[in-house]
Amino acid sequence: MKNWNSVEEKWREQLQNKSEDIPEGLWSRLEERLEEKPTRRFPIYWAAAAMLLLALGLSWNWNTAPEEEAAEVTHVIEKTEVPLEKDETPVSEPLIVQNKTTESTLAKASLQPASDVAAPIASVIEESTKEEVVATVPVIEKREESPEIVTVRLDIDPIVEEDVKPTFTQQKRRKSLFGKIVGEIRQALDGEPVNWQKLKEGNPAFENRIHTVANTYVKTEENLKRTLQLQ
Amino acid sequence: MNKRLPPFTSETELIAACRNNNRQAQQFLFQKMAGKMLSVVKRYITNTSEAEDTLMEGFVKVFSKLDQYQGGGSFEGWIRKIMVNEALMSIRKNKDRFPVDIDVAFDLAHPDETLMQLGLQEIEALIATLPTGYRTIFNLYAIEGYSHAEIADLLAISEGTSKSQLSRARALLQNQLITLQL
């Protein structure tokens, strides 16, 4: 008595070399397909690259990088014309690119003792309107090593670090996101369905923070109610 | 198709020319293999026009992935695998569901003696009567020679499901034999 394996083996042998008639024009269609292949692939790579850049940009925007803060300070330095109040010793200064005419003046000023330095530096900053602050990285790095560098920053920029505000776009972005969250939470408290996924869209980092933000909001509201009751 | 093509003395030479995007070599390979491969594809996809589209897509893949062929096994076997994969993809695309997980195997009696006497066309007609899911597993196991583990991997099902579906396919074939009066 035969079993299924032997039946299938026989069928396999028979079907193995079976060949169908190929309809006319199939090669032409394939040829066309082969011609168009490279042109169709090209934009896919570009799209992938664009997506990657977008994702990187979004994550970079969301996380407040220390470099951004440094750039903000640089911006303040560029504009400042406020007279210097404190007379502590400047140890380092921002890296400044300027015209040859003002270079020597600045070099002199930086080498002078603490008591004499304040006025010349202020005057140099005032007179050199064309100068550009390239980077304040050395200032930040040295600040960590010695407390003297912190005083240099205060000399140049009387504005306290806490006052340095994030850029307009960042502030706006956070406000709008926060506004959305508050709106959704209010909706949830009112007993209406909330689409949390919609809030998370395009913000991978936000996914981890949404619960923290929501908890903070609820706690704040509870604290406020408690305070009002006590009063 | 009537154009005379330059003969390629060896398979290696033909493959090398195809890799260099030589259209004549590609056409030669197509003419040499298309008939057999269409037969393979048609065992999975019964609709002729869909089968031809799948064959075409399969050849596009063959030419674009020719660099991956190491030359270890049979070249025809390599092309056949691409065609089978392409056919499975086409079945998925058309939302013909593969079998759901049922791990109950059929206790099947010995096959009817008539099954051994069937001709080529009758075998094809009999297999074509099976529903897509059973037919796919039967073709993969019985005709292409895949193992249950490989089928499970290909179709994202369990090995048990593959075995039980094969038993069902065999039972159905036996029943169809009576129905079709072959």
Side-chain angles (χ1 to χ4, degrees):
Chain A
M1 190 62 110
K2 299 282 178 191
N3 61 19
W4 269 99
N5 286 338
S6 52
V7 171
E8 285 158 7
E9 204 179 312
K10 191 163 184 281
W11 285 12
R12 193 182 305 151
E13 279 168 20
Q14 284 176 275
L15 291 169
Q16 212 53 223
N17 293 316
K18 168 93 189 325
S19 184
E20 295 273 333
D21 290 333
I22 296 299
E24 288 283 328
L26 201 60
W27 165 251
S28 308
R29 275 173 63 200
L30 176 61
E31 207 174 7
E32 277 173 32
R33 186 80 175 73
L34 290 170
E35 297 286 340
E36 74 183 36
K37 189 88 175 149
T39 52
R40 287 181 71 183
R41 270 198 166 184
F42 193 66
I44 295 168
Y45 288 122
W46 277 107
M51 289 289 283
L52 189 70
L53 276 173
L54 190 71
L56 282 171
L58 280 173
S59 62
W60 182 78
N61 246 344
W62 180 255
N63 300 312
T64 315
E67 287 83 2
E68 269 184 22
E69 283 171 19
E72 284 303 309
V73 175
T74 310
H75 186 63
V76 173
I77 293 164
E78 251 187 314
K79 286 181 179 175
T80 188
E81 286 184 1
V82 180
L84 303 164
E85 291 164 12
K86 296 180 186 176
D87 52 353
E88 283 152 14
T89 314
V91 177
S92 71
E93 57 192 27
L95 182 59
I96 296 173
V97 177
Q98 57 188 355
N99 294 337
K100 281 183 182 175
T101 49
T102 55
E103 196 174 6
S104 59
T105 325
L106 183 66
K108 271 185 194 172
S110 66
L111 289 167
Q112 280 172 4
S115 54
D116 304 325
V117 165
I121 287 183
S123 61
V124 167
I125 294 171
E126 277 172 18
E127 74 183 48
S128 58
T129 48
K130 288 179 183 176
E131 72 185 16
E132 289 172 30
V133 178
V134 174
T136 56
V137 179
V139 176
I140 293 165
E141 282 172 358
K142 286 183 183 174
R143 192 173 55 137
E144 287 169 7
E145 288 163 10
S146 67
E148 290 173 330
I149 302 162
V150 179
T151 59
V152 173
R153 282 191 59 174
L154 288 169
D155 277 346
I156 298 164
D157 176 18
I159 300 167
V160 199
E161 202 173 320
E162 284 85 46
D163 293 337
V164 178
K165 291 176 181 175
T167 55
F168 171 72
T169 48
Q170 226 177 346
Q171 209 176 7
K172 194 180 170 187
R173 180 188 167 81
R174 286 192 169 181
K175 267 188 179 176
S176 66
L177 273 171
F178 187 73
K180 276 182 193 171
I181 298 161
V182 172
E184 296 293 325
I185 292 168
R186 284 195 178 283
Q187 208 174 316
L189 290 171
D190 291 339
E192 288 171 35
V194 175
N195 186 4
W196 295 107
Q197 289 300 328
K198 199 181 169 187
L199 276 173
K200 293 177 190 177
E201 273 172 17
N203 286 302
F206 184 59
E207 286 188 27
N208 301 323
R209 296 183 191 182
I210 188 164
H211 299 296
T212 319
V213 176
N215 281 336
T216 312
Y217 177 81
V218 171
K219 277 179 188 169
T220 312
E221 203 173 59
E222 280 171 5
N223 283 339
L224 272 169
K225 277 179 186 170
R226 218 175 293 151
T227 315
L228 287 169
Q229 277 173 358
L230 281 171
Q231 281 174 355
Chain B
M1 292 290 268
N2 299 325
K3 234 195 287 178
R4 278 182 72 89
L5 292 168
F8 289 87
T9 49
S10 69
E11 197 175 79
T12 321
E13 195 189 325
L14 176 65
I15 294 167
C18 287
R19 274 184 183 144
N20 289 331
N21 241 2
N22 180 328
R23 255 323 158 250
Q24 283 190 322
Q26 288 174 339
Q27 188 178 357
F28 187 82
L29 181 66
F30 176 80
Q31 287 184 359
K32 194 178 165 202
M33 296 287 188
K36 265 189 188 180
M37 294 309 139
L38 184 60
S39 169
V40 171
V41 173
K42 271 190 169 177
R43 282 203 289 274
Y44 294 85
I45 300 162
T46 43
N47 181 298
T48 308
S49 131
E50 272 178 39
E52 284 171 10
D53 285 348
T54 306
L55 177 81
M56 218 173 68
E57 287 304 314
F59 268 103
V60 170
K61 247 181 210 157
V62 165
F63 293 134
S64 64
K65 297 197 184 289
L66 210 50
D67 284 332
Q68 290 175 18
Y69 175 64
Q70 302 295 320
S74 136
F75 184 49
E76 189 184 317
W78 183 76
I79 296 177
R80 188 182 286 262
K81 270 195 172 175
I82 291 180
M83 293 301 163
V84 169
N85 281 338
E86 205 57 39
L88 296 179
M89 275 174 68
S90 176
I91 293 170
R92 275 199 200 97
K93 230 183 278 174
N94 292 322
K95 297 194 186 344
D96 273 342
R97 293 273 170 223
F98 287 124
V100 283
D101 277 17
I102 305 164
D103 287 348
V104 186
F106 271 60
D107 273 337
L108 195 68
H110 287 286
D112 198 294
E113 281 292 328
T114 327
L115 289 167
M116 289 292 275
Q117 319 298 326
L118 296 177
L120 199 60
Q121 302 225 324
E122 291 164 328
I123 296 168
E124 281 188 322
L126 195 63
I127 294 173
T129 59
L130 292 173
T132 311
Y134 297 143
R135 193 176 66 243
T136 306
I137 286 170
F138 184 83
N139 277 327
L140 288 170
Y141 183 87
I143 312 299
E144 306 301 337
Y146 284 78
S147 69
H148 283 298
E150 286 171 322
I151 295 169
D153 195 39
L154 267 173
L155 305 182
I157 55 171
S158 71
E159 274 187 57
T161 304
S162 175
K163 284 176 189 169
S164 67
Q165 296 295 317
L166 178 72
S167 306
R168 282 168 179 248
R170 284 168 172 171
L172 273 172
L173 284 172
Q174 196 136 306
N175 285 342
Q176 288 297 324
L177 191 69
I178 302 156
T179 315
L180 295 174
Q181 294 176 335
L182 292 170

